[in-house]
Amino acid sequence: MIETSVGSFSPERRMLIDGKLVEAASGKLFDNINPATEEVLGSVADAGHEDMEQAIASARRAFDETDWSTDHAFRRRCLEQLQEALESEREQMRAELVAEVGTPVRVTRGAQLDLPLEDAFRWPAEQIDQFAWERQLADGNAFGVASKRKVVKEPQGVVGAVLPWNFPFEVAANKLGPILATGNTVVVKPAPDTPWSATRLGRLIAEHTDIPAGVVNIVPSSDHLVGEDLTLDPRVDLISFTGSTVTGKRIMEKGAATLKRVFLELGGKSAMIVCEDADLAAVLPAAGGVCTHAGQGCAMLTRVLLPRSRYAEGAEILKSVMENIRYGDPTDPNNVQGPQVSAKQRDRVLSYVKKGIDEGATLAVGGGRPTHLDKGYFVEPTLFLDVDNSMTIAQEEIFGPVLAVIPYDDEEDAVRIANDSSYGLSGAVHSASAERAMAIARRIRTGSISVNGGMWYGADGPYGGYKSSGVGRQNGVEGFETYLETKLVGYIG
Ligand code: NAD
């Protein structure tokens, strides 16, 4: 049991393969580090290629040889058992996420834990009864054969689910809910920085649900290439990946040899457009959201677009917002920003800050490591003013508490700048006129957008990216379809 100031938890060190909680075949372990203290929290099984081979074989067997893929009522019951089991360990999960992810406990009250726990399994479980698994087409007479016709939805088969470290439970839940509800089997590969939230899921599945052996396998590894086996193996039908665009492209490339289906949820460089008529004092505090969880979120609004006519006024407000961000110890309930997940990520963020300065942006707040925190991978809340959209800090995903403020001339210019990005994940528009804000939102090429502060998140909301932000959708009916194949049947009788 690990005791922390926000609760205690017992981590699970073993992986789940073929229904059993096991150590790695090699007996190897790797460390799990607390990013706020740099201390080793404990360890976890370090899977090698042979463990991954076992996991893929067992997922394939469970799909091909059990009635998991066809028994709707049983699947629904299993998802309800899993929901109940997760809720019974909610407070342990909260303390564990704060420790291994470095996420502020405050963020676990929202997207990191409580929000996905609310409906990420419940909504797909309900869909099992509501979804149109079959639909009848008009009778046909092709080739002179009078036929009845229908469309049947079937699971894809074996899914390889590759998780990131920034929202490890949220992403796992939003993958597993629909993957299991639609009758697939799955091998989950958590990110090496955050293995315990996934191994806990494995233990709960093994000990508290009737989910058959092999339907879910959880395989942590310190070696990214063990995860790559999923993309190369012909027994895996689909890869569901959340993470960086670079890795997403590699998965597509490696998966091409076996024509893998892919769902990719990748990076973003989302813009918040503030119209000339907006109430800046009311609207701009939301821009401090870029520091939530140290900016480690794909849909963060990392570019703020301000009209030149009100630029000086907006810049002053934003300075004050960024200077007053509560950050530091993630167990402090007042903090919204904790550390970056690793020294590597911290250094990556700092290298972007340097690029911003080198390319001529004005560093107005932060930009370094906080002097009052001598341990942990922290970066100060950072504000860049006078950013040109062609600069690296306006084009690349920094994944840190770094806000870039870009002036624009008129509405056309704002839309042009917002869309001048290889990414297309999310965005926001603020105007005194709801109609005007909605009209601008329709012109932004992103998979989600907030209008005047509205929230789009939910298990029923199809989420994903345009352009380099991804392929396909998770959640909602579209997300359900991601994990389904379509069979067209012509029949007589
Ligand atoms: P990453 O995309 O490389 O890692 C994410 C997951 O992919 C991990 O589980 C990792 O083990 C796995 N992985 C890596 N290479 C793989 C391969 N060849 N085949 C199969 N799986 C593989 O991300 P990272 O290196 O941890 O972080 C780098 C940057 O990625 C961040 O700074 C951030 O910009 C971005 N990122 C984005 C998100 C997001 O939600 N969009 C999440 C995490 C990271």
Side-chain angles (χ1 to χ4, degrees):
M1 192 66 102
I2 295 180
E3 310 282 344
T4 80
S5 62
V6 291
S8 49
F9 64 94
S10 309
E12 175 55 59
R13 171 172 120 168
R14 295 164 296 174
M15 45 197 177
L16 176 65
I17 296 182
D18 203 17
K20 293 182 201 68
L21 296 168
V22 293
E23 302 286 350
S26 66
K28 279 192 191 153
L29 300 167
F30 67 99
D31 288 343
N32 194 358
I33 310 248
N34 181 333
T37 63
E38 305 183 29
E39 281 160 11
V40 175
L41 287 162
S43 60
V44 70
D46 193 358
H49 297 284
E50 49 188 326
D51 302 300
M52 186 55 91
E53 157 62 33
Q54 296 287 322
I56 295 171
S58 92
R60 190 72 249 171
R61 242 185 346 261
F63 186 80
D64 292 340
E65 296 172 17
T66 74
D67 54 8
W68 174 255
S69 67
T70 52
D71 191 340
H72 291 193
F74 176 55
R75 293 210 300 269
R76 182 166 183 160
R77 202 161 66 243
C78 288
L79 281 174
E80 286 162 359
Q81 291 169 336
L82 181 55
Q83 174 78 34
E84 207 174 298
L86 286 163
E87 281 177 16
S88 75
E89 294 190 3
R90 181 194 295 258
E91 293 314 312
Q92 281 210 38
M93 284 200 280
R94 190 183 312 287
E96 186 168 74
L97 285 165
V98 172
E100 77 167 355
V101 186
T103 193
V105 66
R106 202 183 171 104
V107 179
T108 68
R109 313 247 173 242
Q112 197 69 263
L113 177 63
D114 290 344
L115 216 47
L117 197 48
E118 194 54 42
D119 61 0
F121 291 99
R122 263 196 202 107
W123 191 84
E126 284 163 17
Q127 278 298 303
I128 293 176
D129 292 344
Q130 288 164 18
F131 185 73
W133 296 97
E134 293 195 10
R135 105 176 167 265
Q136 206 67 32
L137 300 181
D139 290 350
N141 197 26
F143 308 106
V145 182
S147 304
K148 291 180 182 150
R149 298 180 307 146
K150 65 180 169 181
V151 177
V152 180
K153 296 288 180 179
E154 297 178 343
Q156 291 274 359
V158 175
V159 176
V162 181
L163 308 182
W165 40 261
N166 55 335
F167 285 87
F169 173 72
E170 191 261 3
V171 176
N174 281 317
K175 290 194 190 301
L176 280 181
I179 285 171
L180 297 179
T182 45
N184 298 279
T185 62
V186 61
V187 178
V188 177
K189 214 293 292 168
D193 294 298
T194 55
W196 283 347
S197 54
T199 49
R200 173 179 299 274
L201 257 165
R203 177 178 57 73
L204 291 173
I205 286 168
E207 292 179 351
H208 296 277
T209 76
D210 295 324
I211 293 176
V215 167
V216 181
N217 303 271
I218 310 270
V219 188
S221 176
S222 63
D223 181 355
H224 294 316
L225 293 183
V226 169
E228 188 157 290
D229 291 353
L230 289 166
T231 70
L232 300 170
D233 197 300
R235 293 168 295 178
V236 176
D237 298 285
L238 180 147
I239 300 288
S240 176
F241 170 73
T242 300
S244 66
T245 296
V246 171
T247 301
K249 285 179 182 168
R250 183 172 165 122
I251 285 174
M252 242 182 157
E253 196 187 312
K254 298 284 173 185
T258 52
L259 224 62
K260 287 277 180 289
R261 278 68 177 142
V262 288
F263 164 69
L264 306 174
E265 199 264 280
L266 309 174
K269 196 73 204 177
S270 302
M272 176 200 237
I273 298 178
V274 182
C275 293
E276 205 171 8
D277 62 3
D279 177 349
L280 298 193
V283 159
L284 288 178
V290 74
C291 297
T292 302
H293 187 26
Q296 301 172 120
C298 48
M300 299 267 174
L301 302 169
T302 49
R303 295 182 291 156
V304 171
L305 276 46
L306 284 182
R308 275 189 209 283
S309 57
R310 300 187 67 190
Y311 185 75
E313 183 193 344
E316 277 314 304
I317 297 172
L318 286 170
K319 260 197 238 171
S320 152
V321 167
M322 294 298 277
E323 279 163 358
N324 288 295
I325 296 290
R326 299 288 304 253
Y327 74 103
D329 180 0
T331 66
D332 179 337
N334 295 310
N335 286 339
V336 293
Q337 178 187 332
Q340 310 312 123
V341 79
S342 61
K344 179 176 149 221
Q345 281 301 119
R346 177 201 55 205
D347 294 345
R348 192 170 180 273
V349 174
L350 293 175
S351 77
Y352 275 111
V353 172
K354 184 170 179 311
K355 268 187 203 147
I357 297 167
D358 291 348
E359 292 180 18
T362 306
L363 179 65
V365 178
R369 294 170 63 171
T371 48
H372 67 288
L373 296 165
D374 55 353
K375 277 271 181 296
Y377 310 124
F378 293 95
V379 176
E380 292 173 313
T382 299
L383 177 68
F384 275 108
L385 296 174
D386 312 325
V387 177
D388 186 279
N389 199 54
S390 63
M391 291 177 183
T392 308
I393 57 166
Q395 288 293 329
E396 295 187 10
E397 184 174 55
I398 299 175
F399 238 53
V402 181
L403 189 63
V405 185
I406 304 170
Y408 69 83
D409 297 328
D410 54 21
E411 203 171 294
E412 281 304 307
D413 197 32
V415 170
R416 180 191 64 75
I417 295 170
N419 285 334
D420 177 19
S421 173
S422 60
Y423 292 114
L425 194 56
S426 197
V429 187
H430 290 274
S431 165
S433 156
E435 226 171 52
R436 180 181 182 192
M438 190 61 84
I440 294 174
R442 288 185 198 282
R443 299 179 64 194
I444 306 305
R445 302 281 300 158
T446 58
S448 60
I449 194 150
S450 157
V451 174
N452 280 343
M455 296 287 168
W456 39 257
Y457 187 90
D460 60 348
Y463 176 63
Y466 288 16
K467 302 191 270 183
S468 291
S469 289
V471 175
R473 291 294 176 272
Q474 71 174 22
N475 289 348
V477 173
E478 289 84 350
F480 223 63
E481 299 256 8
T482 292
Y483 298 110
L484 291 169
E485 269 291 9
T486 298
K487 181 176 281 172
L488 177 59
V489 185
Y491 62 104
I492 295 171

